[in-house]
Amino acid sequence: MTQTLAIFLDAYRDLNSRKLFWLALALSLLGVLLVGSVGIDATGVSVLWFHIDSQFVNTGFITPGTFYKIIFQNLGINVWLTWLAAILALISTASIVPELLASGSIDMMLSKPISRTRLFLTRWVTGLFFAAIQAAVFVIASFLVIGIRGGAWEPELFVAVPAVVVFFSYLYCFCALVGVLTRSTVASLLLTLVFWLGVFALQEGEQFVNRGRIASSMEIKALDALIESRLAKNAEADVDPLRTELEAARRASERWNQLYWPAYAVVTVLPKTNETTDWLQRRLVARASFRPPPDEESTLNFFGSTRVKRRDFQQAVFDDAESRKGAWWVIGTSLGFEAAMLGACVWLFRRRDF
């Protein structure tokens, strides 16, 4: 245990000495302070000492607590924690494994009575520690801003810290594997970014096809209800055009399903970066009164559905994700992928001749 702690502290000092470590923390605090400088009152919004009158953004339209929660949801989670902060963390930690394998460094480490497995995993956990500090600083500052400025104290916000660390670990395990294979920091970083974009594209595709599948199913139900309603009012009603539409909707639904389930199977075995963010937002909606699905009454026509209300569609997508894409599927299967990557890293590290 003493050896593990010593290696961990040594790796932490290495990260702590890097300017990017402190730059990332400073940017996190600066972002939250900028959000805290924005205020809302009965007549509009203010930024520092500038006030902007608005008929659409004021406390008559939205409460201060909801106002700051929306900012945290849209900028804090969707932009900072899951993109910019993750990229900064990857840049800062991509060199940990290649530097461990560098000549001189590895010789000194292996001269100590410690197993290679413990040595590698201890160094790997140090990278996660960087992401944890960064996420914790941002979330604590956001919690204070939402509480002090918005009057809404939401402890559930702190779930974002482990969620972001787990999100980062999906990418970092792949980065570590590339580092073991190539011993190159640049290759580790670039290939991890390419991998991330590929996973992102696959998940976006799966979500797009799923929305098409749900919209098509809702269109079928709407047409069935309309046909039954017309026949109930008038047994002689001409419903042949509606039946033709219904058959076309059923064929479309079958095609959506043929596309969706293979895509779902592929995404299931991959780490779920997008889905982890979505799961976090759904949890905040359910337990911390964050923004619920929109309540627009307009019909949905993007997927060919002309009788489904957009509000009902968004709620159906939300409910589908809640029922099929809970923490076990989103995080559990992603950790399975991560375990496989780490297992490969340790196996290669133990077998390599230094």
Side-chain angles (χ1 to χ4, degrees), residues 108-282:
M108 184 185 69
M109 289 291 184
L110 292 180
S111 66
K112 300 174 181 180
I114 183 173
S115 71
R116 289 193 178 193
T117 299
R118 186 147 58 106
L119 172 60
F120 181 86
L121 292 178
T122 301
R123 296 284 293 189
W124 182 78
V125 168
T126 308
L128 300 185
F129 187 66
F130 176 90
I133 292 177
Q134 191 167 270
V137 167
F138 184 85
V139 171
I140 290 170
S142 299
F143 173 77
L144 294 174
V145 167
I146 294 173
I148 295 171
R149 298 281 282 162
W153 298 94
E154 298 289 356
E156 193 69 24
L157 223 63
F158 290 100
V159 175
V161 177
V164 169
V165 174
V166 168
F167 166 91
F168 176 72
S169 71
Y170 306 156
L171 304 173
Y172 192 49
C173 69
F174 183 83
C175 184
L177 179 60
V178 177
V180 171
L181 290 172
T182 66
R183 301 192 186 189
S184 169
T185 299
V186 174
S188 300
L189 179 60
L190 291 180
L191 289 177
T192 301
L193 292 175
V194 170
F195 172 74
W196 186 5
L197 289 175
V199 169
F200 174 81
L202 287 172
Q203 289 176 93
E204 284 292 309
E206 184 268 343
Q207 290 177 356
F208 175 83
V209 176
N210 189 39
R211 287 181 171 87
R213 180 183 70 91
I214 292 172
S216 181
S217 174
M218 295 179 72
E219 178 80 350
I220 290 172
K221 291 179 181 178
L223 283 167
D224 273 331
L226 183 58
I227 291 172
E228 290 180 8
S229 174
R230 288 192 180 181
L231 290 176
K233 292 178 181 177
N234 181 4
E236 303 298 325
D238 182 16
V239 293
D240 287 340
L242 292 177
R243 287 190 173 124
T244 301
E245 284 187 55
L246 180 60
E247 287 304 314
R250 284 173 175 162
R251 289 194 296 271
S253 178
E254 184 178 352
R255 288 194 293 272
W256 281 117
N257 279 287
Q258 289 172 347
L259 286 172
Y260 176 69
W261 293 111
Y264 179 76
V266 170
V267 169
T268 297
V269 300
L270 292 173
K272 292 152 198 69
T273 52
N274 307 24
E275 296 288 356
T276 300
T277 304
D278 292 345
W279 172 83
L280 174 60
Q281 295 200 58
R282 291 198 306 271

Side-chain angles (χ1 to χ4, degrees), residues 27-40:
L27 288 175
S28 294
L29 287 173
L30 178 62
V32 177
L33 289 175
L34 288 175
V35 170
S37 70
V38 179
I40 185 170

